[in-house]
Amino acid sequence: MVNATAGTLLMLLVSNLLLSEKVASMPMNVSEAGRSEVSLKDLFDNATILSENITKLSTDMRMEFFYNNFSSRIFSKTLSSLHKKMRLNDVFDKCHTLPIKTPETKAEIRETSFEDFLNMTFRTLRAWEDPLKHLVTELSAMPGVPDVILSQAKAIEAQHKILLEYIMKIVSKVNPALQEKEDSLVWSDLDLLQAADEESRLFALYVFSYCLRVDLQIVEFCIYMLRCLHMHGKICYIESAPSF
Ligand SMILES: *[C@@H]1O[C@H](CO)[C@@H](O)[C@H](O)[C@H]1NC(C)=O
Ligand SMILES: *[C@@H]1O[C@H](CO)[C@@H](O)[C@H](O)[C@H]1NC(C)=O
Ligand SMILES: *[C@@H]1O[C@H](CO)[C@@H](O)[C@H](O)[C@H]1NC(C)=O
Ligand SMILES: *[C@@H]1O[C@H](CO)[C@@H](O)[C@H](O)[C@H]1NC(C)=O
Ligand SMILES: *[C@@H]1O[C@H](CO)[C@@H](O)[C@H](O)[C@H]1NC(C)=O
């Protein structure tokens, strides 16, 4: 994954908004949307709403870190020093989900199957299970944490849990084999989050909130594609690709 990913996905999200309007006006294939598929569609509907919600929450939380006096000084300092050194990738490369390969170009998206999208979504969400638990625990123990940030973290953890449950239900319906392999993705920033000095702790929060937001945007896009592919088939590949 390179630095262009976040921007690429934002473009995709925009073009997908256009697509969903188009697709909504197309007649549904009744035989494909028959009885047996109803609950899978419901699961995708709920997962879509939840993933949009949780992405927004993670954006709000990162904004709050930037504006709140609790963290604003270190967050601004970190951002400007990264810009000065042109080292934005340094933060991206710290994300523990980096080994999960995600499509970055039009062509790569077309080569990404329904199962691949599901695999990515499942692995990414599962990789955040422990870190989010630790985030809430550590924030609760950290001096001076504002209520607004703590409650955002708690809401993200709670909604992530529900979203992961939806995805697990989908996985067990569609391809239980995806569940089998244990993942080796390790989040190793707990020490930094527990550090005695404030600057290290806030830097850990900087990286955490950055990676979380990027990953949730990716998950939102994957869930969008999954739902579209399930409902409408291969047309999703033609329309969803950004034109660059
Ligand atoms: C509807 O689904 C059936 C069975 O999957 C398929 O044969 C048919 O071509 C589809 N119709 C449209 C309009 O997509
Ligand atoms: C989707 O969410 C609604 C509202 O929370 C809930 O009533 C429904 O049972 C959910 N559907 C599935 C398939 O989990
Ligand atoms: C979306 O997030 C807000 C804020 O936490 C919450 O109140 C709301 O219930 C969430 N919606 C869903 C569908 O989970
Ligand atoms: C902002 O935080 C600093 C410590 O980081 C503290 O000294 C200062 O009093 C705070 N200002 C306000 C307005 O809370
Ligand atoms: C899911 O992705 C992982 C990592 O890319 C891969 O090792 C695994 O085989 C995939 N699972 C399936 C069932 O495709």
Side-chain angles (χ1 to χ4, degrees):
M1 240 188 311
V2 295
N3 157 25
T5 307
T8 306
L9 279 155
L10 285 182
M11 290 184 67
L12 288 171
L13 293 176
V14 171
S15 63
N16 284 330
L17 285 179
L18 300 175
L19 172 65
S20 56
E21 284 172 3
K22 250 193 212 172
V23 167
S25 65
M26 282 172 38
M28 279 253 306
N29 190 328
V30 178
S31 61
E32 276 179 20
R35 288 184 78 97
S36 64
E37 299 292 298
V38 164
S39 66
L40 199 51
K41 182 189 172 292
D42 284 352
L43 288 170
F44 276 125
D45 286 350
N46 282 12
T48 301
I49 295 168
L50 210 48
S51 70
E52 288 167 3
N53 210 21
I54 195 174
T55 302
K56 185 178 176 302
L57 275 172
S58 71
T59 305
D60 290 349
M61 184 170 78
R62 186 156 167 85
M63 288 294 143
E64 192 61 40
F65 276 126
F66 269 105
Y67 289 118
N68 201 296
N69 186 48
F70 164 69
S71 41
S72 58
R73 194 178 58 85
I74 303 292
F75 267 59
S76 306
K77 197 177 118 188
T78 305
L79 181 67
S80 68
S81 94
L82 290 168
H83 268 296
K84 240 177 254 146
K85 292 187 255 157
M86 297 299 284
R87 302 293 289 272
L88 284 166
N89 262 356
D90 285 3
V91 172
F92 198 81
D93 291 346
K94 287 190 196 313
C95 297
H96 72 296
T97 49
L98 194 64
I100 302 178
K101 218 189 149 310
T102 53
E104 284 158 25
T105 63
K106 210 170 175 170
E108 283 174 10
I109 288 169
R110 249 188 265 114
E111 286 158 15
T112 306
S113 69
F114 181 91
E115 301 214 333
D116 294 336
F117 279 121
L118 190 56
N119 200 3
M120 272 171 222
T121 306
F122 184 51
R123 294 182 74 208
T124 305
L125 287 175
R126 208 170 42 178
W128 280 102
E129 212 173 5
D130 283 343
L132 282 170
K133 235 178 268 166
H134 287 300
L135 178 70
V136 171
T137 311
E138 296 311 320
L139 280 178
S140 305
M142 227 177 262
V145 174
D147 287 346
V148 55
I149 290 177
L150 187 56
S151 61
Q152 283 167 333
K154 283 180 177 167
I156 292 170
E157 196 217 355
Q159 295 192 22
H160 167 276
K161 203 177 275 173
I162 303 169
L163 182 56
L164 182 56
E165 276 167 20
Y166 284 136
I167 299 304
M168 278 160 68
K169 279 183 194 163
I170 292 169
V171 164
S172 67
K173 271 177 178 298
V174 172
N175 186 357
L178 294 182
Q179 280 169 316
E180 276 157 22
K181 204 169 163 195
E182 261 313 305
D183 235 316
S184 53
L185 300 170
V186 178
W187 176 74
S188 52
D189 276 357
L190 184 56
D191 286 352
L192 205 53
L193 210 50
Q194 292 174 329
D197 81 294
E198 188 192 20
E199 189 148 346
S200 301
R201 287 196 309 266
L202 289 172
F203 181 70
L205 288 171
Y206 186 97
V207 173
F208 192 110
S209 59
Y210 175 84
C211 297
L212 179 67
R213 191 170 85 108
V214 169
D215 278 355
L216 289 175
Q217 283 175 331
I218 291 170
V219 162
E220 184 181 336
F221 172 69
C222 289
I223 291 176
Y224 171 82
M225 284 301 291
L226 285 166
R227 182 178 178 281
C228 186
L229 287 167
H230 174 65
M231 305 269 298
H232 308 290
K234 287 196 161 28
I235 188 179
C236 305
Y237 289 119
I238 301 164
E239 300 276 341
S240 68
S243 48
F244 60 86

